[in-house]
Amino acid sequence: INDEQELKELHDQLVENEQKQKDLTEIIERSSSVAFTWRNEPKWPVEYCSSNVMNIFGYLPAEFFNGKVSYSACIHPEDIERVGSEVSVASNDMNCTEFEHEPYRIITKNGEVKWLKDWTFIIRNNKGVPIHYKGIIEDITKQKQAEDRLLDEIHLKNLLLDTLPHPAMIVSNERKIMAMNKVAQDMGVKVG
């Protein structure tokens, strides 16, 4: 009876763990983030990606799995060297277990450029050599576009202010100086 009860408990635990795994997979696949596992090999071949990879990259998971497309081939040519350097620096630091990339661009299957946020952790063998990278990728294109528009607006306001020959300031409703031109700055005016 003891063996039979232990078998049933073990079976129930396995079923429960399987359900938890399905739940976690469903959460990832319904989110705007994509889960990846890359091998530490040239071009970072993909060993696993969540099925919602199509939403960001435009590729089917199978296209990554069978090597038709490599992860590195998706990274924008102007960003690939920096991304590779970030991986290399993190990998060579034996105390490093995870890292975040600076945002970088990818080129999707249909040629669209998207910005990504990438959090990665390193899987090392018993000698400390990285063998896999696991990460979560998030599309931040809309956020990046909004930031760029804001920076353009700030730049334009600064250009306009600096063309004025006399001190000029932008003041908030609370009577705090938000921005000023160079003439006002040279006179000692300070933001705030």
Side-chain angles (χ1 to χ4, degrees):
I1 274 186
N2 216 9
D3 288 341
E4 193 174 304
Q5 185 177 356
E6 286 179 18
L7 278 173
K8 182 178 178 351
E9 287 175 7
L10 183 59
H11 175 266
D12 291 347
Q13 189 176 17
L14 286 171
V15 169
E16 182 181 337
N17 287 342
E18 194 174 292
Q19 185 58 47
K20 286 179 182 178
Q21 187 71 29
K22 286 179 184 177
D23 291 346
L24 288 172
T25 300
E26 183 179 356
I27 289 168
I28 288 289
E29 290 181 356
R30 287 181 175 222
S31 77
S32 60
S33 299
V34 178
F36 272 97
T37 299
W38 304 274
R39 289 192 305 277
N40 183 21
E41 297 174 8
K43 300 184 181 182
W44 303 310
V46 173
E47 195 165 281
Y48 168 82
C49 62
S50 51
S51 63
N52 61 344
V53 70
M54 287 182 53
N55 299 341
I56 296 177
F57 288 79
Y59 292 101
L60 294 168
E63 292 177 282
F64 283 105
F65 301 152
N66 66 20
K68 182 176 180 183
V69 62
S70 68
Y71 191 82
S72 65
C74 297
I75 298 174
H76 194 284
E78 292 176 15
D79 296 342
I80 187 70
E81 187 175 324
R82 176 180 53 82
V83 171
S85 177
E86 290 169 350
V87 171
S88 183
V89 167
S91 297
N92 290 330
D93 179 352
M94 294 300 281
N95 295 318
C96 182
T97 58
E98 61 186 66
F99 61 98
E100 278 188 53
H101 286 281
E102 288 297 316
Y104 61 91
R105 295 165 289 178
I106 60 156
I107 301 173
T108 67
K109 187 174 186 174
N110 68 5
E112 184 181 358
V113 174
K114 292 186 177 182
W115 281 92
L116 301 182
K117 181 177 181 180
D118 176 340
W119 171 77
T120 300
F121 65 96
I122 304 169
I123 306 299
R124 299 177 187 271
N125 66 16
N126 58 2
K127 295 180 182 176
V129 176
I131 54 173
H132 288 93
Y133 303 98
K134 293 181 180 273
I136 299 291
I137 305 292
E138 187 176 344
D139 181 356
I140 60 165
T141 304
K142 289 179 183 174
Q143 175 186 342
K144 190 74 169 146
Q145 290 168 340
E147 287 174 6
D148 289 347
R149 282 192 302 274
L150 182 60
L151 287 173
D152 287 347
E153 287 177 24
I154 290 169
H155 181 70
L156 180 60
K157 285 178 186 174
N158 287 338
L159 279 175
L160 291 173
L161 280 175
D162 283 339
T163 61
L164 298 173
H166 53 288
M169 295 158 271
I170 297 175
V171 181
S172 72
N173 290 340
E174 295 82 30
R175 302 187 52 77
K176 289 187 179 181
I177 297 172
M178 306 298 290
M180 74 197 101
N181 67 357
K182 180 142 176 48
V183 176
Q185 188 177 12
D186 291 344
M187 292 178 65
V189 175
K190 298 200 183 315
V191 171

